[in-house]
Amino acid sequence: MKQRSSTKISLKWIPFLCISFFVLGTVFSNRLWIATIFNDCDTKKKPATDNDEKGEVLKTHEAIESLDKSFAMLQIKLAPPGSSQKMKNSDATGAVSTLAGIDSPRKKAFMVIGINTAFSSRRRRDSIRETWMPQGEKLVRLEREKGIIIRFIIGHSATSDSILDRAIDSEDAQHKDFLRLEHVEGYHELSAKTKTYICTAVANWDAEFYVKVDDDVHVNLGKLAALLGRYRSKPMAYIGCMKSGPVLSKKSVKYHEPEYWKFGEEGNKYFRHATGQIYAISKDLANYVAANQHILHKYANEDVSLGSWFIGLEVQHLNIKSMCCGTPPDCELKAKAGNACAASFDWSCSGICRSVEKIKIVHQRCGEGDAVVWSALF
């Protein structure tokens, strides 16, 4: 009897259990179906979301790049030259002028011309003073009326207060046409000297252009001023005779490049840069050099160094052949044709050969005349 009773109870629960499992199965299946729908929706929407996000990220990145570029340009244009010039006197790469204090107000100018010279080049300096560089009151008037500043640029010797330094002090007292640099003179230090000259000039004058010329080059000031005046509206202007000479790896040759391996395979050429006899840079580029002087690398050759400092910037390389005419008959023929050269020298000598004697001949035959600079419009 007990066994039958137990069997009947178990049979009664069977329908109830079936219904319960059916209901549970239905609920569970519905949840899976709903989850699948939502997953499908998410899957369909996700690619569009990713694309939107990528688009927004790209737009934001482009906006940031544009702002960075604008900010960099403003930094170059508005970099306070004085702030980068305040340096210790013991720093040989500093920019200290004997003509004006670092904190004194800078004078406005059209162009500053720095004539690179050495202790041993007194005769070269005198030959320039006797030809294309005004002297005395005319030099002062040129600065006052035309905004053209001309100075011989030179540093000091390795020995403090040496006879060489005293000779320059005496010469400067007589002519008042030097810009003394906080720089130790040496042939292999020309890149450092150029950098120091630019920094010193920027610290003393707020000019439109900064020019460097060697002391064995003839210059027609009126022609040079008029030429540069054409490019006043061009920002980041790097002006001169552009070239791309071979990188010389052999130690025995002149202009040897110790870091030749940085320029690729043997026999490669340098990047395009202005030849070192004479070149000009605009105000914003000069401010850039002054603001970044401590991180600008110096190569063995000064003109290569200057060109390397502008790689990666939005620089306008202006190749002006009038700044690298040959000596007579080349410059003479051009002068007779009414197209006087801005500068003349011999490529074979990287300047006028035997310049002390020959520059006077060049001036007589290729010079524009002393009155031209005073009537030049720029």
PDB file of all heavy atoms in Angstrom, residues 49-65:
ATOM      1  N   THR A  49      30.472  54.738 -34.883  1.00  0.00           N
ATOM      2  CA  THR A  49      31.011  55.467 -33.735  1.00  0.00           C
ATOM      3  C   THR A  49      32.513  55.588 -33.841  1.00  0.00           C
ATOM      4  O   THR A  49      33.087  56.653 -33.600  1.00  0.00           O
ATOM      5  CB  THR A  49      30.633  54.751 -32.425  1.00  0.00           C
ATOM      6  OG1 THR A  49      29.221  54.621 -32.385  1.00  0.00           O
ATOM      7  CG2 THR A  49      31.099  55.552 -31.219  1.00  0.00           C
ATOM      8  N   ASP A  50      33.181  54.499 -34.224  1.00  0.00           N
ATOM      9  CA  ASP A  50      34.638  54.514 -34.381  1.00  0.00           C
ATOM     10  C   ASP A  50      35.062  55.517 -35.447  1.00  0.00           C
ATOM     11  O   ASP A  50      36.018  56.272 -35.272  1.00  0.00           O
ATOM     12  CB  ASP A  50      35.152  53.116 -34.770  1.00  0.00           C
ATOM     13  CG  ASP A  50      35.125  52.175 -33.580  1.00  0.00           C
ATOM     14  OD1 ASP A  50      34.969  52.687 -32.450  1.00  0.00           O
ATOM     15  OD2 ASP A  50      35.240  50.957 -33.784  1.00  0.00           O
ATOM     16  N   ASN A  51      34.319  55.517 -36.578  1.00  0.00           N
ATOM     17  CA  ASN A  51      34.658  56.453 -37.642  1.00  0.00           C
ATOM     18  C   ASN A  51      34.489  57.891 -37.188  1.00  0.00           C
ATOM     19  O   ASN A  51      35.293  58.764 -37.503  1.00  0.00           O
ATOM     20  CB  ASN A  51      33.778  56.202 -38.867  1.00  0.00           C
ATOM     21  CG  ASN A  51      34.153  54.905 -39.583  1.00  0.00           C
ATOM     22  OD1 ASN A  51      35.292  54.454 -39.461  1.00  0.00           O
ATOM     23  ND2 ASN A  51      33.199  54.305 -40.291  1.00  0.00           N
ATOM     24  N   ASP A  52      33.377  58.109 -36.443  1.00  0.00           N
ATOM     25  CA  ASP A  52      33.151  59.464 -35.930  1.00  0.00           C
ATOM     26  C   ASP A  52      34.270  59.883 -34.993  1.00  0.00           C
ATOM     27  O   ASP A  52      34.764  61.001 -35.053  1.00  0.00           O
ATOM     28  CB  ASP A  52      31.807  59.537 -35.188  1.00  0.00           C
ATOM     29  CG  ASP A  52      30.638  59.421 -36.166  1.00  0.00           C
ATOM     30  OD1 ASP A  52      30.875  59.617 -37.381  1.00  0.00           O
ATOM     31  OD2 ASP A  52      29.519  59.135 -35.706  1.00  0.00           O
ATOM     32  N   GLU A  53      34.655  58.943 -34.117  1.00  0.00           N
ATOM     33  CA  GLU A  53      35.714  59.250 -33.166  1.00  0.00           C
ATOM     34  C   GLU A  53      37.030  59.524 -33.884  1.00  0.00           C
ATOM     35  O   GLU A  53      37.752  60.462 -33.554  1.00  0.00           O
ATOM     36  CB  GLU A  53      35.888  58.096 -32.174  1.00  0.00           C
ATOM     37  CG  GLU A  53      34.748  58.002 -31.160  1.00  0.00           C
ATOM     38  CD  GLU A  53      34.928  56.833 -30.212  1.00  0.00           C
ATOM     39  OE1 GLU A  53      35.898  56.070 -30.422  1.00  0.00           O
ATOM     40  OE2 GLU A  53      34.127  56.693 -29.287  1.00  0.00           O
ATOM     41  N   LYS A  54      37.330  58.706 -34.907  1.00  0.00           N
ATOM     42  CA  LYS A  54      38.565  58.912 -35.661  1.00  0.00           C
ATOM     43  C   LYS A  54      38.556  60.264 -36.361  1.00  0.00           C
ATOM     44  O   LYS A  54      39.558  60.974 -36.417  1.00  0.00           O
ATOM     45  CB  LYS A  54      38.753  57.798 -36.695  1.00  0.00           C
ATOM     46  CG  LYS A  54      39.143  56.456 -36.080  1.00  0.00           C
ATOM     47  CD  LYS A  54      39.251  55.392 -37.144  1.00  0.00           C
ATOM     48  CE  LYS A  54      39.629  54.041 -36.532  1.00  0.00           C
ATOM     49  NZ  LYS A  54      39.674  52.982 -37.557  1.00  0.00           N
ATOM     50  N   GLY A  55      37.384  60.625 -36.903  1.00  0.00           N
ATOM     51  CA  GLY A  55      37.260  61.915 -37.556  1.00  0.00           C
ATOM     52  C   GLY A  55      37.480  63.076 -36.605  1.00  0.00           C
ATOM     53  O   GLY A  55      38.178  64.039 -36.920  1.00  0.00           O
ATOM     54  N   GLU A  56      36.895  62.941 -35.408  1.00  0.00           N
ATOM     55  CA  GLU A  56      37.058  63.994 -34.411  1.00  0.00           C
ATOM     56  C   GLU A  56      38.502  64.108 -33.955  1.00  0.00           C
ATOM     57  O   GLU A  56      39.041  65.198 -33.782  1.00  0.00           O
ATOM     58  CB  GLU A  56      36.147  63.715 -33.207  1.00  0.00           C
ATOM     59  CG  GLU A  56      34.666  63.876 -33.493  1.00  0.00           C
ATOM     60  CD  GLU A  56      34.314  65.289 -33.924  1.00  0.00           C
ATOM     61  OE1 GLU A  56      34.891  66.231 -33.362  1.00  0.00           O
ATOM     62  OE2 GLU A  56      33.488  65.439 -34.825  1.00  0.00           O
ATOM     63  N   VAL A  57      39.128  62.935 -33.761  1.00  0.00           N
ATOM     64  CA  VAL A  57      40.537  62.922 -33.336  1.00  0.00           C
ATOM     65  C   VAL A  57      41.411  63.574 -34.401  1.00  0.00           C
ATOM     66  O   VAL A  57      42.308  64.362 -34.100  1.00  0.00           O
ATOM     67  CB  VAL A  57      41.015  61.472 -33.060  1.00  0.00           C
ATOM     68  CG1 VAL A  57      42.534  61.428 -32.903  1.00  0.00           C
ATOM     69  CG2 VAL A  57      40.346  60.928 -31.805  1.00  0.00           C
ATOM     70  N   LEU A  58      41.141  63.250 -35.691  1.00  0.00           N
ATOM     71  CA  LEU A  58      41.926  63.816 -36.785  1.00  0.00           C
ATOM     72  C   LEU A  58      41.776  65.337 -36.837  1.00  0.00           C
ATOM     73  O   LEU A  58      42.757  66.068 -36.990  1.00  0.00           O
ATOM     74  CB  LEU A  58      41.485  63.197 -38.111  1.00  0.00           C
ATOM     75  CG  LEU A  58      42.266  63.625 -39.366  1.00  0.00           C
ATOM     76  CD1 LEU A  58      43.740  63.260 -39.224  1.00  0.00           C
ATOM     77  CD2 LEU A  58      41.674  62.980 -40.606  1.00  0.00           C
ATOM     78  N   LYS A  59      40.514  65.795 -36.678  1.00  0.00           N
ATOM     79  CA  LYS A  59      40.271  67.239 -36.687  1.00  0.00           C
ATOM     80  C   LYS A  59      40.987  67.929 -35.541  1.00  0.00           C
ATOM     81  O   LYS A  59      41.583  68.984 -35.696  1.00  0.00           O
ATOM     82  CB  LYS A  59      38.770  67.521 -36.601  1.00  0.00           C
ATOM     83  CG  LYS A  59      38.020  67.182 -37.883  1.00  0.00           C
ATOM     84  CD  LYS A  59      36.526  67.445 -37.703  1.00  0.00           C
ATOM     85  CE  LYS A  59      35.749  67.059 -38.959  1.00  0.00           C
ATOM     86  NZ  LYS A  59      34.295  67.251 -38.771  1.00  0.00           N
ATOM     87  N   THR A  60      40.925  67.296 -34.354  1.00  0.00           N
ATOM     88  CA  THR A  60      41.586  67.871 -33.183  1.00  0.00           C
ATOM     89  C   THR A  60      43.090  67.926 -33.381  1.00  0.00           C
ATOM     90  O   THR A  60      43.747  68.926 -33.076  1.00  0.00           O
ATOM     91  CB  THR A  60      41.272  67.036 -31.926  1.00  0.00           C
ATOM     92  OG1 THR A  60      39.853  66.961 -31.768  1.00  0.00           O
ATOM     93  CG2 THR A  60      41.881  67.675 -30.685  1.00  0.00           C
ATOM     94  N   HIS A  61      43.657  66.834 -33.956  1.00  0.00           N
ATOM     95  CA  HIS A  61      45.106  66.777 -34.202  1.00  0.00           C
ATOM     96  C   HIS A  61      45.527  67.864 -35.180  1.00  0.00           C
ATOM     97  O   HIS A  61      46.544  68.540 -34.979  1.00  0.00           O
ATOM     98  CB  HIS A  61      45.463  65.396 -34.748  1.00  0.00           C
ATOM     99  CG  HIS A  61      46.928  65.209 -35.011  1.00  0.00           C
ATOM    100  ND1 HIS A  61      47.861  65.177 -34.000  1.00  0.00           N
ATOM    101  CD2 HIS A  61      47.621  65.074 -36.180  1.00  0.00           C
ATOM    102  CE1 HIS A  61      49.059  65.020 -34.526  1.00  0.00           C
ATOM    103  NE2 HIS A  61      48.940  64.958 -35.843  1.00  0.00           N
ATOM    104  N   GLU A  62      44.725  68.050 -36.242  1.00  0.00           N
ATOM    105  CA  GLU A  62      45.053  69.080 -37.230  1.00  0.00           C
ATOM    106  C   GLU A  62      44.982  70.476 -36.614  1.00  0.00           C
ATOM    107  O   GLU A  62      45.804  71.343 -36.903  1.00  0.00           O
ATOM    108  CB  GLU A  62      44.100  68.982 -38.421  1.00  0.00           C
ATOM    109  CG  GLU A  62      44.354  67.752 -39.304  1.00  0.00           C
ATOM    110  CD  GLU A  62      43.314  67.611 -40.397  1.00  0.00           C
ATOM    111  OE1 GLU A  62      42.302  68.341 -40.342  1.00  0.00           O
ATOM    112  OE2 GLU A  62      43.506  66.771 -41.297  1.00  0.00           O
ATOM    113  N   ALA A  63      43.976  70.669 -35.749  1.00  0.00           N
ATOM    114  CA  ALA A  63      43.836  71.976 -35.082  1.00  0.00           C
ATOM    115  C   ALA A  63      45.021  72.254 -34.172  1.00  0.00           C
ATOM    116  O   ALA A  63      45.551  73.369 -34.130  1.00  0.00           O
ATOM    117  CB  ALA A  63      42.536  72.014 -34.283  1.00  0.00           C
ATOM    118  N   ILE A  64      45.462  71.212 -33.446  1.00  0.00           N
ATOM    119  CA  ILE A  64      46.612  71.366 -32.547  1.00  0.00           C
ATOM    120  C   ILE A  64      47.873  71.671 -33.346  1.00  0.00           C
ATOM    121  O   ILE A  64      48.668  72.529 -32.981  1.00  0.00           O
ATOM    122  CB  ILE A  64      46.810  70.094 -31.693  1.00  0.00           C
ATOM    123  CG1 ILE A  64      45.666  69.966 -30.679  1.00  0.00           C
ATOM    124  CG2 ILE A  64      48.150  70.124 -30.958  1.00  0.00           C
ATOM    125  CD1 ILE A  64      45.656  68.641 -29.943  1.00  0.00           C
ATOM    126  N   GLU A  65      48.061  70.950 -34.473  1.00  0.00           N
ATOM    127  CA  GLU A  65      49.236  71.205 -35.314  1.00  0.00           C
ATOM    128  C   GLU A  65      49.238  72.634 -35.836  1.00  0.00           C
ATOM    129  O   GLU A  65      50.265  73.308 -35.870  1.00  0.00           O
ATOM    130  CB  GLU A  65      49.256  70.229 -36.499  1.00  0.00           C
ATOM    131  CG  GLU A  65      49.806  68.852 -36.161  1.00  0.00           C
ATOM    132  CD  GLU A  65      50.030  68.011 -37.404  1.00  0.00           C
ATOM    133  OE1 GLU A  65      49.391  68.301 -38.442  1.00  0.00           O
ATOM    134  OE2 GLU A  65      50.846  67.094 -37.349  1.00  0.00           O
TER     135      GLU A  65
END
